[in-house]
Amino acid sequence: MNFEKLLAAFDMGICADQLQREALFDLALLFVEIDGVETPEELDFVSQWVDNSQWNSHMSKSDYRDQAIDKCKAAIQDKDVETFIKSRAMQLSNSPIKAQAIKLLEEIVLVDGELAEDEAKALSFLKNYLQ
């Protein structure tokens, strides 16, 4: 019985937090890539955020980033951004993390000084989906 409680706590704690971090990371990278221009300001902003985030995975942040960028680029190229957003937003399980995601993504899209149409459309879709 105690072992089952331990597993349940582990699954709901570290694993759930890591899944949310990965979802936020994926969404952040999507919003860097979505307008087709990776500005140094956007990359620096995301790098600082990632560096300051906890990471509890067998995969390094760097390796995860490389894979996530490939997934983001594929979603953009396949014009499947809304499906990608839905799949990652489903991992955001509570209101504070949802609010954090929206705030983070708003900061990312504005860090380069302009809001591209694709960024605005994706951000609007995410906000509607999370509410």
Side-chain angles (χ1 to χ4, degrees):
M1 186 73 161
N2 288 336
F3 183 70
E4 290 173 3
K5 286 181 183 178
L6 176 65
L7 284 178
F10 180 76
D11 287 343
M12 295 307 290
I14 293 172
C15 290
D17 288 346
Q18 182 63 24
L19 289 174
Q20 290 185 100
R21 270 186 225 102
E22 290 172 6
L24 279 173
F25 196 19
D26 290 350
L27 289 168
L29 291 171
L30 176 72
F31 279 81
V32 168
E33 298 288 334
I34 201 164
D35 63 356
V37 179
E38 291 179 346
T39 67
E41 295 87 4
E42 289 172 327
L43 294 174
D44 287 345
F45 182 88
V46 170
S47 292
Q48 285 179 349
W49 176 75
V50 169
D51 289 345
N52 291 327
S53 297
Q54 292 182 334
W55 194 255
N56 297 313
S57 175
H58 67 282
M59 185 182 299
S60 71
K61 287 180 188 179
S62 177
D63 289 343
Y64 187 87
R65 180 184 186 273
D66 293 342
Q67 288 183 7
I69 287 174
D70 290 342
K71 290 179 202 175
C72 293
K73 287 182 178 182
I76 293 164
Q77 183 178 1
D78 296 343
K79 301 200 183 305
D80 209 13
V81 170
E82 290 181 359
T83 301
F84 184 85
I85 290 172
K86 282 182 190 179
S87 72
R88 303 318 295 147
M90 285 176 18
Q91 298 297 321
L92 307 177
S93 60
N94 59 49
S95 293
I97 197 78
K98 290 176 184 180
Q100 179 186 359
I102 290 169
K103 182 176 187 250
L104 172 69
L105 299 174
E106 286 173 338
E107 291 176 11
I108 289 170
V109 299
L110 295 176
V111 79
D112 65 356
E114 64 180 78
L115 179 62
E117 184 179 335
D118 289 340
E119 291 172 325
K121 183 179 173 184
L123 189 57
S124 177
F125 178 82
L126 177 66
K127 286 178 179 180
N128 289 331
Y129 183 78
L130 289 179
Q131 294 185 20

